[in-house]
Amino acid sequence: MDPKRALGIGLKTDDPRQRERIIRYINLKLASMGLPYSSSSTDVMDIDIAHDLIENFKEKNRLLSTYLCPVDKRIQNFINSYLSDVKMDEIPELPTDTLILDRYGLARELSVPPDKNEFITDVISSYRVKQGVLNNPKNDRRTTKGSFHVAEGGLPIPFDKKAVPKQTFAYMLQEAFNAPDAMKELPYTASQKEKAKVFMSLMLKPVVVPEVSGFTERKTLEVRFFAPGNLVSNLDFVESIFGNAGDPYLPQHDAALDPDHWTGHTGCVILAPHLTTITKADAGLPQIKYATDRQKKEGMCWESEEELYNDGIPFKLTARDESGVIVTLIADNYFGYSKKEVKTQIGYSANLLGLAEEEHAGGALAFPSFNLGTHFHPDSNMHFLHLEKDHSFDNFKAVLGDSFIEHEDGYGLDRNHSNIIYIPEDAVIDLEAQRAHWIIDGKEKSLRILPENFYVHPSGYRVHMEKHPASPAWRLVGTVAEGTFCHKPCTVSGGGKSEISKSIKDAMTFGSVFVGDFKEDMDKTEEIVNYNYGERFKPDYRKTLKPGHKTRPLLSEDRSLGSVIKLLSPSTNNTDSFNKWLSDIPMRVKALVFLVKRFYEPEWGNTWREKFSVDIINSEPGHILKYMNRELVGSYLKVGTDKNGSWVTNKLRQDFMPAVKVQLEDDISASIVVPTSQVSGLSETCVNPSVKIVENCENRFFQRPDDAVHRGLDKQAEKDLASMGNFICNFEPLKKNDAVELYEKTAGFYAYTAPMQNIIKGFCESGKENEYFISSSHPRIVDGAPTKNQRYLQLRPDLEDNTTRYLGEVGMKLFRKIPLGEPLAIPVNAVLAGRRNNPADHKAG
């Protein structure tokens, strides 16, 4: 990633002095504005040394007190034009003396005093916790009913929104910058006698148009946020998601000087929770006898002068027209409002620009994976890839270029990731021996197989070894090269956008493998193993096979477990009699065949039955299957509960593994439709005249870990919430005595996963009485009950650790023989549209 962009989105730094530098920078900024700074944290030498420079800066600011930066000037010009026909003493003006948050991390540090770990007001409660910062706003969720208001005089107003007189918008805009002094107090100086009272501002540049090489540049929208000091956590929130675009006064950040990468549109968001206290009469709404039918219906009029605007309920009020500027007032400080408004403004820009679209979408790049057992043979394990290209060892050099380091023994290393190993096309992996081996010039070469490494075939197919989560056994896991972009667009809230990107691993459970009558089932298994499969095909299909084609025995080394599963599945290529024979095989017997295949070793010959057994219970054979006198473990998937609350589960195929997923979308995506002729890197299966290119607009996802209240169930959430540097919302702040109580309740403590256990135990040992932490299972209490809207910002997995995404890109490019530096388009799974997957349905993502 570009270092400038990485800095703007706050990727983790290893510099332990980062916080110290941010505090010193904040103090210099406050001093240069003539505002109180933190006397408890500052190095007075900074201020003393810079005294004359600060005074010079303050004088220049005084002389330029009416000057607006370019983006603010564009917003002010819109306001002046939009309100030119409104009768008022003077048109509202944007403030010129805001504390500009021009670096990522300033808002986070400003949210809590440096010498305290809490900041509490009637609108927000913020805590510095061990895992980052916890911000609990007054309202724990968004209010949507009747909350969307649009000013008249611009673009048409939909009937599901409330129409607001322009005069009212003008008054509300003026009052938005007239926040009470208490609301303008900066949390950073809240613990001292002299407090800074200030408005803050921030600039964002969210993406609206994805880059398509040779067709369009990546284009962004410019958005300015203004907020009184108390609400600095809201600015921390939006910059964490969309990134900090820097100081708007500097030329290099002026979008108008870079028109190739700007949509030409400007947004403005002003946070003003105090607007809920304004009355309808003061806001300029008409008395009911003078109101229109729509105003009466929408409550935009009054009978009593004491009636509050929107009945005192939080709302957002927007003014926009076709000129390309949109201004929104948000009368609440719940974080979701701020994010959704940026989303709305991205959509506004896309609609005016044309071709582009903002999508309420979720999605992930999914790579099917399979349990390969203990052996990997390229010819048998990869039969389902339908390899039509010759993927030789030279493919690594052609695709990877300088990223490929060739070893003299005939394998390769990745220059970017030391745990990625490139193996020859004829390499065989034997897990029992824990080695990969191949032949070069008549000599066998080998390589030790280790659990932390990925072994990539020239076709892009990759293999790694993995321990079974519920048994001492290890297995090889194979992952296909060609991924599918599972894109879920046009989805309402709660429609499963986030879920599509999550692995189903946490929904899997493990238990014993059962048989019916052991001898009868084993006899049937032996019949299936020894069956002559050479006559299973219909005559017409047999003609399409290669001359001399011979059917491999079921237990042959050249036939994979996946191949056996396919062999025992009905097919239109099979004769009716063979399909009938297959349908008569009980599922438990098929599962037994798959187990035999999974563990079979060639040296067993025909003695494989001796390796499997059941216990004798009360002189009768039991039903729990054993291998080499060890109880076998099967995989099951939880698919729901019955009316009594008991789990309903399905047995999974013996070779089943959860797909490897690279999350690409969560909530807000930008897309553009492009002629196929303008796109390179498409799959050969793509026959569409045009394709859609999609880019995620977010750097962090506002996750709601509903299942985390059940300790140990949502492993990813517990891992995330146990990490450092988090932005957390709607959790309960806990202290050392809470940690001790959680730890001493042994059963509950060990129900957590290891990361959360470490946080709690560590806090018991080193936490201080005035310090806080959060537990994944303890949401904030609202009105006497736990909130159902606990949230945290999750750093995009591909930004935190891009190994999985890199492996996916490398695998697909190896498969398609596309050099690493060239674009890659990914097919979208058409099953999401309710149809069977079909090459003709593929789109690009």
Side-chain angles (χ1 to χ4, degrees):
M1 178 184 290
D2 174 53
K4 183 178 178 182
R5 186 185 171 203
L7 187 64
I9 64 177
L11 290 185
K12 294 177 181 177
T13 175
D14 295 330
D15 188 348
R17 297 177 299 171
Q18 181 70 7
R19 185 179 178 225
E20 175 192 343
R21 290 173 177 172
I22 287 177
I23 290 175
R24 293 172 70 180
Y25 183 61
I26 288 172
N27 285 326
L28 285 170
K29 285 182 76 73
L30 291 173
S32 70
M33 295 178 68
L35 295 171
Y37 47 83
S38 175
S39 56
S40 65
S41 63
T42 188
D43 184 343
V44 294
M45 287 187 63
D46 282 349
I47 308 300
D48 289 343
I49 292 173
H51 178 268
D52 290 344
L53 184 63
I54 290 172
E55 291 301 312
N56 179 280
F57 190 84
K58 287 162 64 176
E59 179 61 17
K60 288 180 179 178
N61 276 349
R62 187 187 66 81
L63 294 172
L64 296 172
S65 60
T66 60
Y67 176 75
L68 291 171
C69 63
V71 57
D72 289 359
K73 186 64 175 176
R74 288 188 275 275
I75 297 168
Q76 189 63 54
N77 288 342
F78 163 77
I79 293 172
N80 294 344
S81 173
Y82 196 79
L83 300 180
S84 61
D85 57 347
V86 173
K87 294 180 181 180
M88 55 192 314
D89 294 336
E90 57 184 26
I91 292 177
E93 294 183 351
L94 299 180
T96 59
D97 57 350
T98 62
L99 174 59
I100 299 172
L101 306 181
D102 53 356
R103 295 186 187 179
Y104 184 93
L106 299 186
R108 178 71 53 87
E109 193 58 46
L110 287 165
S111 299
V112 182
D115 60 333
K116 292 185 68 177
N117 290 318
E118 64 181 31
F119 171 75
I120 300 174
T121 70
D122 58 346
V123 296
I124 186 78
S125 297
S126 298
Y127 306 86
R128 184 179 293 111
V129 297
K130 185 174 180 63
Q131 302 104 308
V133 63
L134 167 65
N135 293 297
N136 290 338
K138 177 182 178 181
N139 298 311
D140 67 330
R141 64 185 66 238
R142 279 195 307 147
T143 303
T144 57
K145 184 178 180 180
S147 63
F148 302 113
H149 303 181
V150 180
E152 296 170 342
L155 295 169
I157 301 173
F159 282 101
D160 63 339
K161 307 295 188 292
K162 292 186 177 183
V164 180
K166 191 182 291 187
Q167 183 78 40
T168 299
F169 171 76
Y171 180 83
M172 289 291 195
L173 178 60
Q174 190 172 50
E175 289 301 305
F177 290 115
N178 191 26
D181 281 352
M183 190 170 288
K184 290 195 291 185
E185 287 184 4
L186 200 60
Y188 183 74
T189 59
S191 62
Q192 59 193 47
K193 185 176 181 180
E194 293 188 5
K195 299 175 175 57
K197 300 175 182 179
V198 68
F199 256 86
M200 301 160 303
S201 65
L202 169 72
M203 184 166 67
L204 311 175
K205 289 186 178 179
V207 62
V208 178
V209 181
E211 178 185 5
V212 182
S213 182
F215 184 79
T216 182
E217 300 282 355
R218 184 178 189 268
K219 295 180 183 291
T220 61
L221 161 76
E222 57 178 3
V223 179
R224 284 282 276 154
F225 261 81
F226 295 91
N230 259 205
L231 308 189
V232 66
S233 55
N234 287 70
L235 304 190
D236 179 14
F237 175 73
V238 291
E239 82 164 357
S240 296
I241 296 172
F242 300 104
N244 189 310
D247 188 341
Y249 282 86
L250 299 181
Q252 59 264 41
H253 299 146
D254 182 359
L257 298 180
D258 185 17
D260 287 343
H261 300 96
W262 181 38
T263 61
H265 307 133
T266 302
C268 177
V269 182
I270 304 162
L271 301 180
H274 58 285
L275 294 183
T276 56
T277 64
I278 291 176
T279 65
K280 293 180 178 180
D282 287 343
L285 291 177
Q287 195 174 16
I288 190 167
K289 64 182 179 181
Y290 301 114
T292 65
D293 289 341
R294 180 168 184 174
Q295 287 174 332
K296 293 175 183 177
K297 179 182 177 182
E298 296 176 350
M300 288 294 162
C301 56
W302 54 272
E303 293 183 83
S304 168
E305 292 187 3
E306 287 74 36
E307 290 180 35
L308 295 177
Y309 181 87
N310 203 46
D311 299 323
I313 298 171
F315 63 91
K316 72 171 190 173
L317 172 55
T318 297
R320 75 283 191 272
D321 62 17
E322 65 278 3
S323 68
V325 178
I326 178 171
V327 177
T328 298
L329 314 177
I330 299 181
D332 196 10
N333 69 324
Y334 176 66
F335 303 114
Y337 268 118
S338 299
K339 175 187 171 184
K340 292 301 183 184
E341 183 53 31
V342 177
K343 177 183 186 298
T344 297
Q345 296 193 1
I346 293 172
Y348 166 79
S349 178
N351 290 338
L352 288 181
L353 185 68
L355 290 182
E357 181 182 7
E358 183 279 320
E359 298 196 41
H360 195 48
L365 180 57
F367 297 88
S369 295
F370 300 87
N371 179 354
L372 305 180
T374 58
H375 291 85
F376 166 74
H377 296 270
D379 291 340
S380 60
N381 287 124
M382 298 191 301
H383 72 281
F384 48 84
L385 287 179
H386 307 296
L387 296 179
E388 298 174 357
K389 303 176 182 177
D390 178 23
H391 290 97
S392 67
F393 191 75
D394 289 337
N395 195 36
F396 291 133
K397 304 173 187 177
V399 171
L400 300 173
D402 293 339
S403 296
F404 178 74
I405 303 173
E406 186 173 3
H407 192 277
E408 61 183 6
D409 283 344
Y411 65 92
L413 303 173
D414 191 280
R415 194 179 299 276
N416 304 302
H417 297 269
S418 59
N419 62 335
I420 298 178
I421 315 295
Y422 299 107
I423 57 176
E425 65 271 20
D426 60 342
V428 173
I429 299 178
D430 181 353
L431 185 58
E432 298 294 333
Q434 208 174 322
R435 64 192 286 265
H437 56 91
W438 58 91
I439 303 296
I440 295 181
D441 298 329
K443 296 181 179 179
E444 184 179 79
K445 302 290 184 179
S446 65
L447 181 69
R448 174 74 67 185
I449 300 300
L450 299 174
E452 61 268 19
N453 292 341
F454 295 91
Y455 300 89
V456 183
H457 184 270
S459 67
Y461 188 90
R462 63 183 185 268
V463 180
H464 71 278
M465 62 180 290
E466 182 178 292
K467 184 181 178 299
H468 193 290
S471 82
W474 287 75
R475 65 267 184 98
L476 292 175
V477 178
T479 303
V480 304
E482 188 78 340
T484 297
F485 183 12
C486 300
H487 174 63
K488 190 175 180 62
C490 307
T491 310
V492 297
S493 296
K497 297 184 303 299
S498 295
E499 284 68 23
I500 197 173
S501 303
K502 296 177 181 176
S503 172
I504 65 170
K505 185 180 293 185
D506 288 349
M508 292 174 60
T509 185
F510 305 94
S512 301
V513 177
F514 295 93
V515 294
D517 183 298
F518 177 68
K519 182 179 183 305
E520 182 181 313
D521 285 356
M522 289 299 284
D523 288 343
K524 185 64 177 177
T525 298
E526 186 168 9
E527 175 193 336
I528 295 169
V529 167
N530 296 329
Y531 190 89
N532 178 14
Y533 293 94
E535 303 299 322
R536 71 185 187 278
F537 292 130
K538 293 177 179 178
D540 289 344
Y541 181 75
R542 191 176 294 125
K543 294 176 183 178
T544 66
L545 301 176
K546 294 180 180 180
H549 174 271
K550 292 184 179 179
T551 297
R552 298 158 292 175
L554 188 143
L555 296 181
S556 168
E557 281 189 279
D558 296 328
R559 186 182 284 283
S560 68
L561 177 59
S563 173
V564 171
I565 291 172
K566 183 179 179 181
L567 179 71
L568 299 184
S569 300
S571 169
T572 55
N573 298 323
N574 296 336
T575 63
D576 293 340
S577 60
F578 182 73
N579 281 336
K580 175 64 169 59
W581 180 75
L582 288 178
S583 66
D584 292 338
I585 301 175
M587 286 304 299
R588 69 177 188 279
V589 175
K590 279 190 179 182
L592 189 53
V593 175
F594 301 150
L595 278 168
V596 171
K597 176 62 181 178
R598 157 72 175 82
F599 290 103
Y600 182 77
E601 297 290 342
E603 56 267 25
W604 294 357
N606 294 323
T607 65
W608 53 265
R609 288 187 65 156
E610 301 172 4
K611 310 296 180 180
F612 298 89
S613 63
V614 293
D615 288 334
I616 303 300
I617 302 172
N618 295 331
S619 301
E620 296 288 338
H623 299 284
I624 295 178
L625 187 64
K626 287 187 166 185
Y627 163 70
M628 302 286 283
N629 215 30
R630 173 173 62 82
E631 189 174 311
L632 287 172
V633 176
S635 301
Y636 300 84
L637 181 68
K638 298 175 182 176
V639 295
T641 57
D642 63 13
K643 62 182 180 181
N644 297 317
S646 299
W647 282 111
V648 176
T649 61
N650 285 343
K651 176 72 172 66
L652 295 169
R653 281 174 30 161
Q654 195 62 33
D655 68 335
F656 178 84
M657 292 294 294
V660 173
K661 291 184 176 180
V662 178
Q663 187 167 5
L664 300 180
E665 304 173 282
D666 180 75
D667 186 39
I668 309 174
S669 298
S671 67
I672 185 170
V673 175
V674 184
T676 303
S677 59
Q678 300 293 314
V679 181
S680 58
L682 286 169
S683 168
E684 293 177 356
T685 62
C686 180
V687 295
N688 293 36
S690 61
V691 293
K692 179 187 287 185
I693 306 299
V694 179
E695 180 178 342
N696 182 8
C697 299
E698 303 169 89
N699 299 302
R700 288 175 177 83
F701 303 140
F702 199 29
Q703 299 286 26
R704 183 171 60 203
D706 297 329
D707 292 335
V709 294
H710 306 290
R711 304 177 189 191
L713 186 58
D714 191 335
K715 298 177 177 59
Q716 184 62 50
E718 290 196 17
K719 177 183 176 184
D720 292 337
L721 288 169
S723 63
M724 303 297 108
N726 277 309
F727 183 100
I728 306 165
C729 175
N730 288 337
F731 278 84
E732 196 70 16
L734 304 176
K735 289 191 168 184
K736 184 170 183 175
N737 59 325
D738 298 304
V740 172
E741 184 176 359
L742 286 171
Y743 178 66
E744 290 181 348
K745 291 183 177 180
T746 306
F749 174 76
Y750 283 100
Y752 289 112
T753 57
M756 190 55 64
Q757 289 180 23
N758 293 337
I759 286 290
I760 296 170
K761 186 176 181 180
F763 210 82
C764 289
E765 298 169 350
S766 60
K768 298 178 181 178
E769 292 303 323
N770 63 343
E771 292 180 338
Y772 295 94
F773 76 102
I774 69 104
S775 158
S776 55
S777 61
H778 287 70
R780 164 191 178 187
I781 303 300
V782 178
D783 296 330
T787 179
K788 295 186 182 299
N789 195 37
Q790 63 270 38
R791 299 273 193 158
Y792 73 99
L793 284 180
Q794 178 195 27
L795 179 65
R796 263 173 44 190
D798 61 308
L799 296 179
E800 184 175 33
D801 177 12
N802 72 341
T803 302
T804 303
R805 182 163 189 157
Y806 180 79
L807 274 168
E809 180 183 2
V810 165
M812 296 181 77
K813 288 188 172 180
L814 285 170
F815 183 70
R816 300 186 196 174
K817 296 189 174 181
I818 300 173
L820 198 57
E822 293 187 6
L824 175 71
I826 306 164
V828 171
N829 194 341
V831 169
L832 295 174
R835 297 175 292 173
R836 293 179 60 84
N837 197 8
N838 187 316
D841 291 330
H842 283 183
K843 299 178 177 66

